[in-house]
Coordinates of all heavy atoms in Angstrom, one line a residue:
K222 N -5.9 -16.4 3.8 CA -5.4 -15.6 4.9 C -3.9 -15.3 4.7 O -3.4 -14.1 5.0 CB -5.7 -16.3 6.2 CG -7.1 -16.4 6.6 CD -7.3 -17.1 7.9 CE -8.7 -17.3 8.3 NZ -8.9 -18.0 9.6
Q223 N -3.2 -16.3 4.2 CA -1.7 -16.1 4.0 C -1.4 -15.0 3.0 O -0.5 -14.2 3.1 CB -1.1 -17.4 3.7 CG 0.4 -17.4 3.6 CD 1.0 -17.1 4.9 OE1 0.6 -17.6 6.0 NE2 2.0 -16.2 4.9
K224 N -2.2 -15.0 1.9 CA -2.0 -14.0 0.8 C -2.2 -12.6 1.3 O -1.5 -11.6 1.0 CB -2.9 -14.3 -0.4 CG -2.5 -15.6 -1.1 CD -3.5 -15.9 -2.2 CE -3.2 -17.2 -2.9 NZ -4.1 -17.5 -4.0
I225 N -3.2 -12.4 2.1 CA -3.5 -11.0 2.6 C -2.5 -10.6 3.6 O -2.0 -9.4 3.6 CB -4.9 -11.0 3.3 CG1 -6.0 -11.3 2.3 CG2 -5.2 -9.7 4.1 CD1 -7.4 -11.5 2.9
S226 N -2.0 -11.5 4.4 CA -0.9 -11.2 5.3 C 0.4 -10.8 4.6 O 1.0 -9.8 5.0 CB -0.6 -12.4 6.2 OG 0.5 -12.1 7.1
N227 N 0.6 -11.5 3.5 CA 1.8 -11.1 2.7 C 1.7 -9.7 2.1 O 2.7 -9.0 2.0 CB 2.0 -12.1 1.6 CG 2.4 -13.5 2.1 OD1 2.9 -13.6 3.2 ND2 2.2 -14.6 1.3
L228 N 0.5 -9.4 1.6 CA 0.3 -8.0 1.0 C 0.5 -7.0 2.1 O 1.1 -5.9 1.8 CB -1.1 -8.0 0.4 CG -1.5 -6.7 -0.3 CD1 -0.5 -6.4 -1.4 CD2 -2.9 -6.7 -0.9
K229 N 0.0 -7.1 3.3 CA 0.2 -6.2 4.4 C 1.7 -6.0 4.7 O 2.1 -4.9 4.9 CB -0.6 -6.6 5.6 CG -2.1 -6.5 5.4 CD -2.8 -7.0 6.7 CE -4.3 -6.9 6.6 NZ -5.0 -7.3 7.8
N230 N 2.4 -7.1 4.7 CA 3.8 -7.0 5.0 C 4.5 -6.1 3.9 O 5.5 -5.4 4.2 CB 4.4 -8.4 5.1 CG 3.9 -9.1 6.3 OD1 3.5 -8.5 7.3 ND2 4.0 -10.4 6.2
I231 N 4.2 -6.2 2.7 CA 4.8 -5.5 1.6 C 4.6 -4.0 1.8 O 5.4 -3.1 1.7 CB 4.3 -5.9 0.3 CG1 4.8 -7.3 -0.1 CG2 4.7 -5.0 -0.9 CD1 4.2 -8.0 -1.3
L232 N 3.3 -3.6 2.2 CA 2.9 -2.2 2.3 C 3.7 -1.6 3.5 O 3.9 -0.4 3.6 CB 1.4 -2.1 2.5 CG 0.6 -2.4 1.3 CD1 -0.9 -2.3 1.6 CD2 0.9 -1.5 0.1
A233 N 4.0 -2.4 4.5 CA 4.7 -1.9 5.7 C 6.2 -1.9 5.6 O 6.9 -1.5 6.5 CB 4.3 -2.8 6.9
S234 N 6.7 -2.3 4.4 CA 8.2 -2.4 4.2 C 8.8 -1.0 4.1 O 8.1 0.0 3.7 CB 8.5 -3.3 3.0 OG 8.1 -2.6 1.9
D235 N 10.1 -0.9 4.3 CA 10.9 0.3 4.3 C 10.9 0.9 2.8 O 10.9 2.1 2.6 CB 12.3 0.1 4.7 CG 12.3 -0.2 6.3 OD1 11.4 0.2 6.9 OD2 13.3 -0.8 6.7
K236 N 11.0 0.1 1.8 CA 11.0 0.5 0.4 C 9.8 1.3 0.1 O 9.8 2.3 -0.6 CB 11.2 -0.7 -0.5 CG 12.5 -1.4 -0.4 CD 12.7 -2.5 -1.4 CE 14.0 -3.1 -1.3 NZ 14.2 -4.2 -2.3
I237 N 8.6 0.9 0.5 CA 7.4 1.6 0.3 C 7.4 3.0 0.9 O 7.0 4.0 0.4 CB 6.1 0.8 0.7 CG1 6.0 -0.5 -0.1 CG2 4.9 1.6 0.5 CD1 5.8 -0.2 -1.6
K238 N 7.9 3.0 2.2 CA 7.9 4.2 2.9 C 8.8 5.2 2.2 O 8.6 6.4 2.1 CB 8.4 4.0 4.4 CG 7.4 3.2 5.2 CD 7.9 3.0 6.6 CE 6.9 2.2 7.5 NZ 7.5 1.9 8.8
C239 N 10.0 4.8 1.7 CA 10.9 5.7 1.0 C 10.3 6.2 -0.3 O 10.5 7.4 -0.7 CB 12.2 4.9 0.6 SG 13.4 5.0 1.9
F240 N 9.5 5.4 -0.9 CA 8.9 5.8 -2.2 C 7.9 6.9 -1.9 O 7.9 7.9 -2.7 CB 8.1 4.6 -2.8 CG 7.3 4.9 -4.0 CD1 7.9 5.2 -5.2 CD2 5.9 5.1 -3.9 CE1 7.2 5.5 -6.3 CE2 5.2 5.4 -5.0 CZ 5.8 5.6 -6.2
F241 N 7.2 6.9 -0.8 CA 6.2 7.9 -0.5 C 6.8 9.2 -0.1 O 6.3 10.3 -0.4 CB 5.3 7.4 0.6 CG 4.3 6.4 0.2 CD1 3.9 5.4 1.1 CD2 3.7 6.4 -1.1 CE1 3.0 4.4 0.7 CE2 2.8 5.4 -1.5 CZ 2.5 4.4 -0.6
T242 N 8.0 9.2 0.4 CA 8.6 10.5 0.8 C 9.1 11.3 -0.4 O 9.3 12.5 -0.2 CB 9.9 10.2 1.7 OG1 10.8 9.4 1.0 CG2 9.5 9.5 3.0
K243 N 9.2 10.8 -1.5 CA 9.7 11.5 -2.7 C 8.6 12.3 -3.4 O 8.8 13.0 -4.4 CB 10.3 10.5 -3.7 CG 11.6 9.9 -3.1 CD 12.2 8.9 -4.1 CE 13.5 8.3 -3.6 NZ 14.1 7.3 -4.6
F244 N 7.4 12.0 -3.0 CA 6.2 12.6 -3.7 C 5.6 13.7 -2.8 O 5.8 13.7 -1.6 CB 5.2 11.6 -4.1 CG 5.7 10.7 -5.2 CD1 6.3 9.5 -4.8 CD2 5.5 11.0 -6.5 CE1 6.8 8.6 -5.8 CE2 6.0 10.1 -7.5 CZ 6.6 8.9 -7.1
S245 N 4.8 14.5 -3.4 CA 4.1 15.5 -2.6 C 3.1 14.9 -1.7 O 2.7 13.7 -1.9 CB 3.4 16.5 -3.5 OG 2.5 15.9 -4.3
K246 N 2.6 15.7 -0.9 CA 1.6 15.2 0.1 C 0.4 14.7 -0.6 O -0.2 13.7 -0.3 CB 1.3 16.3 1.1 CG 0.4 15.8 2.2 CD 0.2 17.0 3.2 CE -0.6 16.5 4.4 NZ -0.8 17.6 5.4
K247 N 0.0 15.5 -1.7 CA -1.3 15.1 -2.4 C -1.0 13.8 -3.1 O -1.9 12.9 -3.1 CB -1.6 16.2 -3.4 CG -2.3 17.4 -2.8 CD -2.8 18.3 -3.9 CE -3.5 19.5 -3.4 NZ -4.0 20.4 -4.4
A248 N 0.1 13.8 -3.8 CA 0.3 12.5 -4.5 C 0.4 11.3 -3.6 O -0.1 10.2 -3.9 CB 1.7 12.6 -5.3
T249 N 1.0 11.6 -2.4 CA 1.1 10.5 -1.4 C -0.3 10.0 -1.0 O -0.6 8.8 -0.9 CB 1.9 11.0 -0.2 OG1 3.2 11.3 -0.6 CG2 2.0 9.8 0.8
I250 N -1.2 11.0 -0.7 CA -2.5 10.6 -0.3 C -3.3 9.8 -1.4 O -3.9 8.8 -1.1 CB -3.3 11.9 0.1 CG1 -2.7 12.5 1.3 CG2 -4.8 11.6 0.3 CD1 -3.3 13.9 1.6
A251 N -3.1 10.3 -2.6 CA -3.8 9.6 -3.7 C -3.3 8.2 -3.9 O -4.0 7.2 -4.1 CB -3.6 10.4 -5.1
T252 N -2.0 8.1 -3.8 CA -1.4 6.7 -3.9 C -1.9 5.8 -2.8 O -2.2 4.6 -3.1 CB 0.2 6.8 -3.9 OG1 0.6 7.7 -4.9 CG2 0.8 5.4 -4.1
V253 N -1.8 6.3 -1.6 CA -2.3 5.5 -0.5 C -3.7 5.0 -0.6 O -4.1 3.9 -0.4 CB -2.1 6.2 0.9 CG1 -2.8 5.4 2.0 CG2 -0.6 6.4 1.1
L254 N -4.5 6.0 -1.1 CA -6.0 5.7 -1.3 C -6.1 4.6 -2.4 O -6.9 3.7 -2.2 CB -6.7 7.0 -1.7 CG -8.2 6.8 -1.9 CD1 -8.9 6.4 -0.6 CD2 -8.8 8.1 -2.4
G255 N -5.3 4.7 -3.4 CA -5.5 3.7 -4.5 C -5.1 2.3 -4.0 O -5.7 1.3 -4.3
I256 N -4.0 2.3 -3.2 CA -3.5 1.0 -2.7 C -4.5 0.4 -1.8 O -4.8 -0.8 -1.7 CB -2.2 1.2 -2.0 CG1 -1.1 1.5 -3.1 CG2 -1.8 -0.1 -1.3 CD1 0.3 1.8 -2.5
T257 N -5.1 1.3 -1.0 CA -6.2 0.8 0.0 C -7.3 0.2 -0.7 O -7.8 -0.8 -0.3 CB -6.6 2.0 0.9 OG1 -5.5 2.5 1.6 CG2 -7.7 1.5 1.9
I258 N -7.8 0.9 -1.8 CA -8.9 0.4 -2.6 C -8.5 -1.0 -3.2 O -9.3 -1.9 -3.2 CB -9.3 1.4 -3.7 CG1 -9.9 2.6 -3.1 CG2 -10.3 0.7 -4.7 CD1 -10.1 3.7 -4.1
L259 N -7.3 -1.1 -3.7 CA -6.8 -2.4 -4.2 C -6.8 -3.5 -3.2 O -7.3 -4.6 -3.5 CB -5.4 -2.2 -4.8 CG -4.7 -3.4 -5.3 CD1 -5.5 -4.0 -6.5 CD2 -3.3 -3.1 -5.8
I260 N -6.4 -3.1 -2.0 CA -6.3 -4.2 -0.9 C -7.8 -4.6 -0.6 O -8.0 -5.8 -0.5 CB -5.6 -3.6 0.3 CG1 -4.1 -3.4 0.0 CG2 -5.8 -4.6 1.5 CD1 -3.4 -2.7 1.1
V261 N -8.7 -3.6 -0.5 CA -10.1 -4.0 -0.1 C -10.7 -4.8 -1.2 O -11.4 -5.8 -1.0 CB -10.9 -2.7 0.1 CG1 -12.4 -3.0 0.2 CG2 -10.4 -1.9 1.3
S262 N -10.3 -4.5 -2.5 CA -10.9 -5.3 -3.6 C -10.4 -6.7 -3.6 O -11.1 -7.7 -3.8 CB -10.5 -4.6 -5.0 OG -11.0 -3.3 -5.0
I263 N -9.1 -6.8 -3.3 CA -8.5 -8.2 -3.2 C -9.1 -9.0 -2.1 O -9.5 -10.1 -2.3 CB -7.0 -8.1 -3.0 CG1 -6.3 -7.5 -4.3 CG2 -6.4 -9.4 -2.7 CD1 -4.8 -7.2 -4.1
I264 N -9.3 -8.3 -1.0 CA -9.9 -9.0 0.1 C -11.4 -9.4 -0.2 O -11.8 -10.5 0.1 CB -10.0 -8.1 1.4 CG1 -8.5 -7.9 1.9 CG2 -10.8 -8.7 2.5 CD1 -8.4 -6.9 3.0
A265 N -12.1 -8.5 -0.9 CA -13.5 -8.9 -1.3 C -13.5 -10.1 -2.2 O -14.3 -11.0 -2.1 CB -14.1 -7.6 -1.9
V266 N -12.6 -10.0 -3.2 CA -12.5 -11.1 -4.2 C -12.2 -12.4 -3.5 O -12.8 -13.5 -3.7 CB -11.5 -10.8 -5.3 CG1 -11.3 -12.1 -6.2 CG2 -12.0 -9.7 -6.2

């Protein structure tokens, strides 16, 4: 539970938000989708 909580905190940080603003909307959507899949995979494992 603690590991998942830490991962969520990282995604919600200001640095991640700044990173997404530099890319196009499409790139942003793809990146978010990849990260979401990664999170779901980690949770499943």
Side-chain angles (χ1 to χ4, degrees):
K222 292 179 180 180
Q223 185 63 43
K224 290 178 182 178
I225 293 173
S226 177
N227 292 339
L228 182 58
K229 289 180 180 180
N230 290 336
I231 292 172
L232 294 176
S234 67
D235 293 336
K236 291 183 179 179
I237 295 297
K238 290 179 181 178
C239 273
F240 174 78
F241 286 145
T242 59
K243 295 179 181 180
F244 293 91
S245 63
K246 189 175 182 180
K247 281 186 177 182
T249 300
I250 292 172
T252 302
V253 171
L254 181 60
I256 292 175
T257 301
I258 292 172
L259 176 62
I260 292 173
V261 172
S262 299
I263 292 173
I264 292 173
V266 170

